[in-house]
Amino acid sequence: MKAIVGIARIFVGIFFIISGFIKMNDPVGFSYKLQEYFGEDVLNLPFLQPFALGIAVFVVIYELLLGVMLILGYRKKFTMWSLLLMIIFFTFLTFYSAYFNKVTDCGCFGDALPLTPWQSFWKDVVLLVLILLIFIKGKYFKPLFEPSSANKWIVFLVFIGCLGFTYHVLMHLPAIDFRAYKEGTVIREGMQPKEGEIIPPIHDFGFYNREGDDTDEILEEEKVLLVVAYNLSKSENQGWSKIKSAVQKAEKKGYRVVALSASGPTETNQVKETYGFNFPFYFTDETAIKTIVRSNPGLVTIEDGVIIQKVHYNDADDLELK
């Protein structure tokens, strides 16, 4: 039994560390998933949606730390109770989503490993069984290092590392891009479904305006600078100021500059007037825009239909232009 509990402890700990790190790599994406859960048609907690990013940051750091604490055997009662309560909540949430078909992807592993609602639920059931085993047989839960102060400092250093990494990806972009719009992606190929799949990796995407669909025309351009802002009313004012110089440089170097947003003409005209932009705004699905780049606004360079570079508005000066 001691060996079984030890294996369960290592497995659950590593699982929580990996799951927490993947979401920590993209806390903005995880916050979008939380907003979906908080929606009126799911948990009906819309008052929490404005705080989704803060909650996302707390959850991912807490999840990773629990994995580390479990492996180290640090703060035994606190760790076991935290794990048990967290997995009970997630098991309920994934069952609710699966049974009522509310959320198609739990976001447990971000975009790295999309899971169906039922796959998410059964994954949580397995974790619940293992955590219950660890909880019930807690006498075998011993600290990994002695004295225990060593474990405390390890947890503290991991916590500081988590804070630093999370701040970095929030101020820039995810360190690892698992999404369908990662650099090097051939957009036309991504718009074709893979073998055995119905929905292609890139869908609900295009460049639409009142005149029609300019997607093919833009993807055939040699050099395009794409300004991305899924919702102009939620975009950062300082972001527009920072990307303005990058837009001007791109125009001088012969780039076709266009913007993508899910906002209406009133908001787009206001942004153009405020910052003196003369490039056209195209409309496309908001979810697709959120997936392209985790920055509102953000910049993407496309050459002959291939995504070359993506940058956060904080890194607009680092944009490489031919």
Side-chain angles (χ1 to χ4, degrees):
M1 181 56 68
K2 181 178 180 181
I4 294 174
V5 172
I7 294 172
R9 169 180 165 182
I10 297 299
F11 177 84
V12 174
I14 292 175
F15 187 95
F16 269 67
I17 291 171
I18 293 175
S19 176
F21 176 78
I22 290 175
K23 293 193 288 289
M24 188 185 301
N25 174 68
D26 186 12
V28 174
F30 184 48
S31 72
Y32 293 155
K33 184 59 61 176
L34 290 181
Q35 289 177 358
E36 190 175 350
Y37 275 116
F38 295 150
E40 294 181 358
D41 59 336
V42 185
L43 295 178
N44 194 24
L45 299 171
F47 65 92
L48 289 177
Q49 289 180 327
F51 310 103
L53 182 56
I55 295 172
V57 170
F58 172 80
V59 170
V60 298
I61 294 178
Y62 191 49
E63 182 178 2
L64 189 147
L65 285 177
L66 283 179
V68 172
M69 292 166 68
L70 179 63
I71 293 175
L72 292 176
Y74 179 66
R75 298 290 295 272
K76 175 180 174 179
K77 290 184 178 181
F78 174 82
T79 300
M80 290 195 300
W81 274 106
S82 295
L83 285 169
L84 183 60
L85 293 175
M86 179 177 282
I87 199 60
I88 288 175
F89 173 74
F90 283 139
T91 303
F92 159 77
L93 190 61
T94 52
F95 172 77
Y96 179 84
S97 297
Y99 186 80
F100 294 101
N101 194 29
K102 293 293 186 179
V103 179
T104 57
D105 176 17
C106 72
C108 306
F109 293 100
D111 294 293
L113 181 62
L115 298 176
T116 66
W118 283 114
Q119 287 174 336
S120 302
F121 168 69
W122 289 114
K123 175 264 298 177
D124 286 341
V125 169
V126 172
L127 287 174
L128 177 59
V129 171
L130 294 175
I131 291 172
L132 280 173
L133 175 64
I134 299 170
F135 189 87
I136 295 171
K137 299 296 181 179
K139 63 181 179 180
Y140 299 114
F141 189 176
K142 304 295 183 182
L144 186 62
F145 299 115
E146 294 291 352
S148 59
S149 59
N151 296 318
K152 176 182 69 176
W153 282 108
I154 292 174
V155 172
F156 176 74
L157 290 175
V158 171
F159 173 66
I160 296 300
C162 288
L163 286 179
F165 181 74
T166 305
Y167 178 80
H168 174 79
V169 296
L170 285 173
M171 293 297 101
H172 303 280
L173 290 179
I176 307 172
D177 193 348
F178 296 106
R179 286 159 289 148
Y181 298 87
K182 59 181 176 291
E183 293 178 355
T185 296
V186 180
I187 297 177
R188 290 188 185 279
E189 292 181 1
M191 297 173 76
Q192 302 299 319
K194 296 181 180 179
E195 185 177 353
E197 298 182 2
I198 297 175
I199 301 176
I202 296 179
H203 56 277
D204 298 330
F205 168 83
F207 296 87
Y208 307 101
N209 57 20
R210 293 180 178 179
E211 285 71 41
D213 182 359
D214 288 349
T215 305
D216 291 336
E217 177 187 334
I218 292 174
L219 293 182
E220 290 174 358
E221 288 280 352
E222 180 183 356
K223 299 187 300 183
V224 175
L225 176 62
L226 177 60
V227 180
V228 181
Y230 75 89
N231 187 312
L232 296 179
S233 64
K234 297 180 180 179
S235 62
E236 299 290 340
N237 292 332
Q238 60 174 335
W240 293 108
S241 299
K242 290 184 177 182
I243 70 171
K244 187 171 183 178
S245 60
V247 169
Q248 293 172 340
K249 291 178 183 177
E251 291 174 335
K252 290 180 180 178
K253 291 193 174 186
Y255 279 76
R256 177 172 179 175
V257 181
V258 297
L260 267 183
S261 178
S263 298
T266 301
E267 292 174 305
T268 58
N269 289 334
Q270 182 178 351
V271 168
K272 292 172 71 173
E273 292 175 4
T274 301
Y275 298 98
F277 295 141
N278 57 11
F279 52 79
F281 273 77
Y282 287 89
F283 177 86
T284 201
D285 179 74
E286 181 172 311
T287 301
I289 298 175
K290 287 180 177 179
T291 308
I292 295 172
V293 61
R294 303 300 198 203
S295 177
N296 189 32
L299 294 172
V300 181
T301 56
I302 303 174
E303 297 178 9
D304 298 313
V306 180
I307 297 176
I308 302 301
Q309 188 181 9
K310 304 194 301 184
V311 298
H312 192 283
Y313 62 77
N314 283 327
D315 301 315
D317 291 339
D318 298 330
L319 190 69
E320 298 177 2
L321 300 171
K322 292 177 61 177

